[in-house]
Amino acid sequence: MSETHSQDHAAATRRFPPSEELAGQANVGPDVYERAAQDRLGFWEDAARRLTWEKDWDEVLDWSNPPFAKWFVGGKLNVAYNCLDRHVEAGHGDQVAYHWEGEPGDTRTITYAELTAEVCKAANALLELGVQAGDRVAIYMPMIPETIIAMLACARIGAVHMVVFGGFSADALASRITDAGAVLVITADGGYRRGAPSALKPAVDDALGRTDSVRNVVVVKRTEQDVAWTEGRDLWWDDVVGRQSDQHTAEAFDAEHPLYIMYTSGTTAKPKGILHTSGGYLTQVAYTHWATFDLKPDTDVYWTAADVGWVTGHSYIVYGPLANRATSVMYEGTPDTPHKGRWWEIVQRYGVTILYTAPTTIRTFMKWGEDVPAGFDLSSLRLLGSVGEPINPEAWLWYHEHIGGGRCPIVDTWWQTETGAHMITPLPGVTNLKPGSAQTPFPGISAKVVDDEGKELPDDTTGLLVLTEPWPSMLRTIWGDDERYKETYWTRFGDMYFAGDGAKKDEDGDIWLLGRVDDVMNVSGHRISTTEVESALVAHHAVAEAAVVGASDPTTGQGIVAFVILRGAAEDSGEELVKELRLHVRREIGPIASPRQIMVVQELPKTRSGKIMRRLLRDVAENRELGDVTTLTDSSVMELIKEKLPSST
Ligand code: WTA
């Protein structure tokens, strides 16, 4: 641990200025900061003008009823038209939109003209099924082109998509369908993962047994697995989409028309449906994608190696790249199928120039060793990106050297499902890069580090990150729960947005993100709430009480460690039960929430007011000396827990 720390320290003090070549030809130069500082709203107006609007806006920002923002008020546009038709109309129909690669090795190349035609057909199919503007459509899919086609078809007709990550369980899907009131589910028989077909349709069937809003299920054939079929409800994509016309005229919608809902974990067991709307969202994802990645649509081959089921996929596989007419790569499977060099083979095959991924993946590649990427030609790469959690300087340097060949800038982008788009990030042609720090608020974004009272802190002091001005791609509310929206983000500091992240500014004013300060864990870049896992555990008949903490993990950032007290009647407290509980959490939430470790204990440390002291449990989970135990009701509890766990360390 201490060795890593000192290596990290040495790495963190190195600086990487942009090459003269890049600085000279980057899409944005240092002047954007000044422009945005002088006229923030004018700056975002310029960004909005990169899109095609059917009707201009009357007002840039309406903040008369905070925290409910309206951007580009009165403006009208169609999001899918901006991502598709306008590029075809401008003569770029033959440009590749996606080089798609399936895990078994099958490939598809889809041009902008083809994608437009497919989206029109899917839009016509949705209309035939009675889906109307404003209706919610659940999408539960593997990483295949139809997922993107389905999203854009919704956007095209003004339906609100709600993509649920294919790794989530039937339970998680059911609660999201119910909360959103979805009328249609688009799914597939399955997808490929780790060399085998992995089914999706059974989870949909299961979920729909517990919900009543869904009328139809449209099923894409991907793996040719057998599927159960409900006549009258289920339809094959090939039938219902296949027979449609490829012509559909996109209607313009209000700038504030809802575009999608994406559920994310909060501090309670119930996930929050983050609502994004059209004009402001597309403005900021398109502009940040162009500026942060210095995207050159005619020459770049861009790859966000993430799942479309997360916000990173929405903003930087689908909407940003398509709005900018990028040529993208999309890959279905896992990085080590069938071999550990799969990603680098893909980079080599398509000549990828820009790669965007998460620190946890980079650390996994580090573990596999630099010989793996060294076996491939990665010379096409010119820029690298990182997202999802703080990237430790050592991983930054490894990425820089062994993937980027020492020549590619790395943009460490801080943002959230709620922010919709990049908020704090270096700009590749401008910033003197500092490994480990996301550095600078994006032009037009105002961030501060404050104390508990909301007072701005001096440099080098650890505090809380807040955003002090509304931004175009901000969430508009939590679906169906305006109060929770206010409470979660805007009550703590009044008129400032509380991000839930710890942060500090260094003496150069650069921002370092320090992880979540609430009960949200970050496991492999995925947000999982401790409460959600706890309530899954206590839902099991053998468990009386549960406490869950995120313990630091060298690969995944954090790992889930659960402490459970069994019910009196539960006989078995051994390996079998632990296995069963782990399976139970997978079933309730999904494999990503499965605890790394489950410890059966007699008692949990609680304060006199009955709050579980997670801090102490984290100390145990991370094998540290115990911190202050004086506020415990019974300080011998911790001794008991430690005694119970000789093998846990
Ligand atoms: C964390 C993912 C440090 C942070 C886009 C945030 C980061 C949460 C970074 C949002 C980064 C994301 N540096 N921390 N570059 N990017 N985070 O909603 O804790 O899945 O609050 O959005 O991830 O996760 P979410």
Side-chain angles (χ1 to χ4, degrees):
M1 206 52 204
S2 61
E3 190 178 314
T4 318
H5 272 152
S6 64
Q7 281 172 4
D8 264 358
H9 183 74
T13 54
R14 292 182 58 185
R15 296 292 170 265
F16 298 82
S19 70
E20 252 169 59
E21 193 197 345
L22 180 58
Q25 55 164 42
N27 287 347
V28 297
D31 50 304
V32 283
Y33 289 107
E34 207 165 306
R35 159 89 178 111
Q38 278 166 6
D39 180 9
R40 188 172 65 91
L41 295 183
F43 166 81
W44 285 122
E45 277 194 289
D46 291 350
R49 290 211 174 87
R50 298 180 66 254
L51 304 176
T52 304
W53 295 76
E54 192 184 273
K55 181 178 170 292
D56 222 346
W57 51 90
D58 310 313
E59 192 185 359
V60 189
L61 168 67
D62 175 359
W63 192 233
S64 58
N65 179 28
F68 300 95
K70 289 188 184 145
W71 281 87
F72 308 112
V73 185
K76 277 178 181 285
L77 82 172
N78 185 287
V79 169
Y81 173 86
N82 272 278
C83 291
L84 301 167
D85 311 57
R86 67 169 179 151
H87 305 315
V88 178
E89 287 164 13
H92 299 289
D94 291 337
Q95 184 179 331
V96 173
Y98 292 100
H99 293 287
W100 175 82
E101 185 155 320
E103 198 185 71
D106 49 337
T107 61
R108 280 165 74 180
T109 302
I110 304 167
T111 64
Y112 273 92
E114 289 163 347
L115 189 62
T116 306
E118 289 306 313
V119 169
C120 287
K121 284 160 71 176
N124 287 326
L126 292 180
L127 292 172
E128 185 184 301
L129 294 172
V131 178
Q132 297 180 357
D135 284 351
R136 277 80 59 210
V137 173
I139 299 178
Y140 185 64
M141 291 276 266
M143 281 282 288
I144 56 177
E146 283 78 7
T147 312
I148 294 177
I149 294 166
M151 291 165 70
L152 292 167
C154 289
R156 196 170 184 94
I157 65 164
V160 185
H161 59 73
M162 191 269 287
V163 179
V164 178
F165 173 56
F168 275 126
S169 67
D171 269 3
L173 178 62
S175 64
R176 285 158 173 77
I177 286 174
T178 301
D179 190 73
V183 298
L184 182 82
V185 179
I186 302 176
T187 188
D189 45 2
Y192 287 95
R193 270 199 99 62
R194 298 184 207 289
S198 154
L200 286 167
K201 176 75 165 40
V204 175
D205 293 329
D206 182 348
L208 294 195
R210 276 170 278 164
T211 56
D212 48 21
S213 56
V214 173
R215 296 191 302 258
N216 290 106
V217 179
V218 176
V219 189
V220 177
K221 213 173 260 176
R222 164 71 183 131
T223 55
E224 311 271 342
Q225 283 164 287
D226 283 340
V227 292
W229 206 252
T230 303
E231 282 306 328
R233 185 197 72 183
D234 298 353
L235 301 154
W236 287 111
W237 171 282
D238 284 345
D239 293 342
V240 68
V241 176
R243 65 166 177 262
Q244 304 294 332
S245 149
D246 61 6
Q247 302 294 312
H248 173 270
T249 307
E251 176 196 341
F253 293 96
D254 195 89
E256 284 298 337
H257 188 78
L259 179 62
Y260 70 83
I261 303 170
M262 163 117 278
Y263 284 84
T264 186
S265 290
T267 51
T268 69
K270 189 171 182 270
K272 303 175 285 197
I274 302 301
L275 179 71
H276 284 293
T277 59
S278 303
Y281 174 78
L282 196 64
T283 293
Q284 194 172 333
V285 295
Y287 186 79
T288 51
H289 180 257
W290 179 76
T292 308
F293 298 120
D294 187 39
L295 183 94
K296 306 282 199 278
D298 294 326
T299 48
D300 275 319
V301 178
Y302 174 85
W303 184 16
T304 289
D307 197 286
V308 174
W310 306 108
V311 75
T312 303
H314 279 47
S315 298
Y316 298 107
I317 295 178
V318 183
Y319 290 111
L322 291 177
N324 288 327
R325 187 177 41 91
T327 292
S328 291
V329 165
M330 180 181 187
Y331 170 57
E332 178 184 31
T334 43
D336 52 350
T337 309
H339 58 82
K340 292 190 164 68
R342 184 71 191 264
W343 276 29
W344 317 122
E345 191 180 80
I346 291 173
V347 168
Q348 177 179 303
R349 178 170 310 137
Y350 301 104
V352 172
T353 58
I354 303 169
L355 174 67
Y356 189 36
T357 189
T360 180
T361 319
I362 297 161
R363 289 191 298 265
T364 303
F365 291 136
M366 285 173 78
K367 238 176 16 192
W368 293 345
E370 51 253 35
D371 291 353
V372 181
F376 297 87
D377 179 6
L378 307 183
S379 61
S380 57
L381 288 170
R382 69 177 191 92
L383 197 143
L384 303 172
S386 173
V387 59
E389 57 173 312
I391 178 165
N392 52 307
E394 202 198 345
W396 195 105
L397 282 185
W398 189 92
Y399 194 28
H400 189 256
E401 190 175 332
H402 297 290
I403 306 303
R407 67 183 182 279
C408 305
I410 298 176
V411 286
D412 174 5
T413 60
W414 180 89
W415 58 293
Q416 308 177 297
T417 306
E418 292 87 340
T419 70
H422 298 162
M423 299 297 283
I424 303 176
T425 175
L427 289 178
V430 181
T431 315
N432 191 2
L433 299 172
K434 237 180 227 184
S437 167
Q439 297 190 269
T440 320
F442 195 85
I445 299 298
S446 330
K448 272 187 191 164
V449 178
V450 299
D451 66 12
D452 277 335
E453 263 81 62
K455 275 208 273 318
E456 188 158 13
L457 286 167
D459 291 347
D460 257 332
T461 319
T462 299
L464 304 170
L465 183 74
V466 294
L467 303 167
T468 58
E469 300 284 355
W471 62 98
S473 64
M474 68 193 272
L475 76 164
R476 296 305 194 258
T477 190
I478 292 174
W479 181 258
D481 202 344
D482 286 349
E483 269 316 302
R484 189 172 178 202
Y485 166 63
K486 281 200 242 175
E487 235 167 71
T488 309
Y489 306 105
W490 299 94
T491 320
R492 186 149 178 179
F493 300 119
D495 56 350
M496 298 191 286
Y497 171 90
F498 172 51
D501 276 42
K504 70 168 192 213
K505 266 187 188 169
D506 66 17
E507 62 280 6
D508 304 323
D510 285 321
I511 298 176
W512 294 73
L513 280 312
L514 304 169
R516 303 287 307 184
V517 295
D518 51 14
D519 293 334
V520 175
M521 299 171 285
N522 189 329
V523 182
S524 298
H526 299 149
R527 273 162 72 170
I528 301 164
S529 111
T530 53
T531 341
E532 210 176 334
V533 180
E534 283 165 6
S535 63
L537 283 167
V538 296
H540 190 277
H541 59 84
V543 178
E545 212 177 336
V548 167
V549 298
S552 65
D553 183 289
T555 307
T556 60
Q558 284 189 313
I560 304 176
V561 178
F563 297 81
V564 297
I565 301 177
L566 299 181
R567 280 181 195 278
E571 298 280 286
D572 178 15
S573 61
E575 272 306 300
E576 276 309 302
L577 178 70
V578 165
K579 238 203 255 151
E580 157 71 21
L581 290 178
R582 207 172 270 133
L583 207 74
H584 172 75
V585 175
R586 289 172 77 97
R587 263 195 317 262
E588 293 264 316
I589 308 174
I592 51 163
S594 177
R596 181 184 80 183
Q597 219 174 356
I598 297 181
M599 307 188 191
V600 177
V601 296
Q602 305 294 333
E603 293 278 357
L604 289 168
K606 289 190 183 152
T607 61
R608 288 180 185 91
S609 59
K611 269 184 91 157
I612 294 173
M613 291 188 74
R614 288 206 178 75
R615 176 175 59 78
L616 292 177
L617 293 174
R618 216 173 291 127
D619 287 343
V620 174
E622 293 176 349
N623 198 15
R624 255 196 316 272
E625 281 292 303
L626 287 185
D628 183 13
V629 295
T630 49
T631 52
L632 279 179
T633 32
D634 174 3
S635 59
S636 63
V637 165
M638 290 314 292
E639 287 313 311
L640 276 175
I641 290 181
K642 285 206 306 184
E643 266 168 37
K644 271 289 283 177
L645 307 163
S647 57
S648 69
T649 52

